[in-house]
Structures are given as C-alpha cells and as structure tokens.
Amino acid sequence: MTWAAVLLVTAVVWAVSVIRSVRVRAFVYSLPLPMTLALLTTGHRVDGPQLLGVVGLNLFFVTVAVTHRRLRWPILLADLAGVAVYVALSAGVLAAPVPFEVALAGTVALWALTMVLLRRRAAAAPPPEPADARRDGLAAPVKLVVIFVGALLTGLLGELLRGMVVTFPYSGVLVAVEARRQLAEFSRHFARNSLALIGFLAGHHYLQDTSPALALAGGWAAFALVSAALHLPRRRPARPAAHPGPERAAPRPGGRPLPGPERSAAT
C-alpha cells in the first residue's frame, strides 16, 4: 500500500469521524476512493471475486455489530473478528474461478433480498434510541495519529489478499470504531449503498480492456447514477381527504346541540 493510499484512508476515516449523520457517514464511507487507488496501484482486474468482495464488506460490518453490540466484545476484538470473516471469505472466493455475470446476478439478488428483510425488520422494530456520535472522542491530534497508524496497519494486511485487496475494508476497520455506538444503523445504510459499489465495479469491468482511465471513469459514472437513484427523494402517498361524517346536530348559541324538531326547523 502506497503512502498516498494511507493518506487517503486517513482522510476518509477522519471525514467520517467528524460527520454526525449516520446516513451521511455511510455514504462517505461507500465512496469507492480506496477501490480506485487499489486498482490504480496494484493493476488487479475487476472480476467476479471483487463483486463478492462487496458482500464481504457487508459481512465485515455485520460481524462487528453482532460481536460488539450483542456479544459485548471490545470493539477492537470485534474488528478482528470482522477482518477474519472477510479474509475467510476471500480465501474461499479465490479458490475457484467465479464468472463475472454469475457473481453480478448473485450479488444484485442478494442485495434486493437484504433490502426487503431490512425494510420488514425496520417496520416491526421500535425506533432506535438516539446516540451521541461524538461521545468518548479523543483529542483531534491524538485521533489523527491513531487513524494514520491504523490505516498503515490495515494497508499492510490488505496487501496479503491478492485480488481481494480491491475491496478490503481499509477504512472500515477504523470507521467501525468511530461508529461503534451506531453500528446497526450504519450497517443498514451501508448495505443500501452497496448497490452503487456493485455499479462501480461493473462499470470498471466492462471498460477495463480499453484503458485504465476510461475504466475508472465508467466505474465512477455508474456509481454516481446508482447513488442518485438510491437517494432520490421519495414522494409520500397523499393522504385521502377526510370524508364528512354523519350529519351532526347544529349547535345552539350556548354550545349545546338542538333537539330533533328544532334541528330540522333550523336546517
């Protein structure tokens, strides 16, 4: 991993650390900046394994959320569990060739199924308690040093994964620490944004035999289009006009309704 990549990961994590909105945090993290730099510096091609790497990114956050929030593991230990899941998935994916179109159809179908399940779960679950994203924050210079060292270490680990280095959660390891009080909500938003990452990899794949610049431009264009479609404001269905109820008794000047004969005479 180059120094430019380390600085880029540091910048992404720093940006996530200062953003309060979980939705915006997840979107910033989903920007394919580390993927772009990995493709530029390693020369790896985008194929089926990289699409399954997006699934690995989601499994990483799910593992961290489950082990930290439910099993009460320390966040750093939960991070290691998430990395172990990603590495195990990478080893399985790299063991056999995965055709790109098969991986594309499978990941899109899995994304659609996940969105349906998350929507049903969100409708049945009580509203989450508000969490302070800035709680337990370190001083800015200390946090910057910690983020930089963490980016360097994760970069060294990612280089051991061959082609799966493209989707390795470089900044995810540190973002999970920053978002530890909102991991479940962050994971849901990132899962939704994952379709745009699939679009980025698909756009790059179909143009990578032309030139690296054109392939990256196509990937970013696909990412932008899918992101725009995912975040378009939705129109809420208009509520039906209230139908007038049964005829009510005309009020008297004092406020009490008129009796039957007087009411009919008044009308």
Side-chain angles (χ1 to χ4, degrees):
M1 192 178 189
T2 64
W3 285 109
V6 172
L7 294 176
L8 177 61
V9 170
T10 302
V12 170
V13 179
W14 178 261
V16 170
S17 71
V18 298
I19 296 172
R20 297 187 61 182
S21 169
V22 181
R23 179 174 298 184
V24 179
R25 282 182 163 202
F27 176 75
V28 171
Y29 173 71
S30 68
L31 292 173
L33 294 170
M35 288 187 186
T36 299
L37 206 55
L39 290 170
L40 283 174
T41 57
T42 63
H44 287 298
R45 293 176 59 84
V46 171
D47 213 332
Q50 282 69 44
L51 284 177
L52 296 180
V54 177
V55 178
L57 285 174
N58 283 278
L59 288 177
F60 166 81
F61 278 108
V62 170
T63 302
V64 177
V66 170
T67 53
H68 179 63
R69 302 298 294 175
R70 294 191 179 183
L71 302 182
R72 305 296 181 183
W73 288 16
I75 186 60
L76 294 181
L77 189 59
D79 251 343
L80 290 177
V83 171
V85 168
Y86 182 88
V87 172
L89 175 70
S90 299
V93 167
L94 294 174
V98 182
F100 185 83
E101 282 72 21
V102 173
L104 180 60
T107 51
V108 171
L110 183 59
W111 178 87
L113 177 61
T114 302
M115 292 302 101
V116 172
L117 295 177
L118 288 178
R119 187 171 301 177
R120 290 182 179 179
R121 183 175 180 180
E129 297 180 359
D132 187 357
R134 298 174 299 176
R135 193 174 176 182
D136 297 337
L138 298 173
V142 177
K143 178 180 288 189
L144 190 59
V145 172
V146 171
I147 291 174
F148 178 79
V149 173
L152 183 60
L153 294 177
T154 54
L156 294 175
L157 176 61
E159 290 181 354
L160 303 177
L161 299 178
R162 291 182 289 168
M164 297 301 285
V165 68
V166 173
T167 52
F168 181 75
Y170 294 111
S171 53
V173 174
L174 302 170
V175 166
V177 176
E178 287 292 333
R180 60 190 178 276
R181 297 185 179 277
Q182 302 163 311
L183 273 174
E185 187 180 357
F186 182 92
S187 300
R188 289 193 297 269
H189 286 301
F190 176 69
R192 184 165 175 259
N193 294 335
S194 294
L195 186 63
L197 291 178
I198 294 173
F200 170 83
L201 292 173
H204 188 282
H205 170 80
Y206 288 113
L207 292 173
Q208 62 187 347
D209 291 329
T210 56
S211 71
L214 188 58
L216 287 174
W220 274 96
F223 176 86
L225 288 174
V226 177
S227 293
L230 288 174
H231 295 90
L232 281 176
R234 299 179 181 179
R235 291 184 178 180
R236 296 183 179 180
R239 295 183 179 180
H243 295 286
E247 185 180 354
R248 296 183 179 179
R252 284 184 177 181
R256 295 183 179 179
L258 296 170
E262 296 178 20
R263 182 170 67 249
S264 45
T267 57

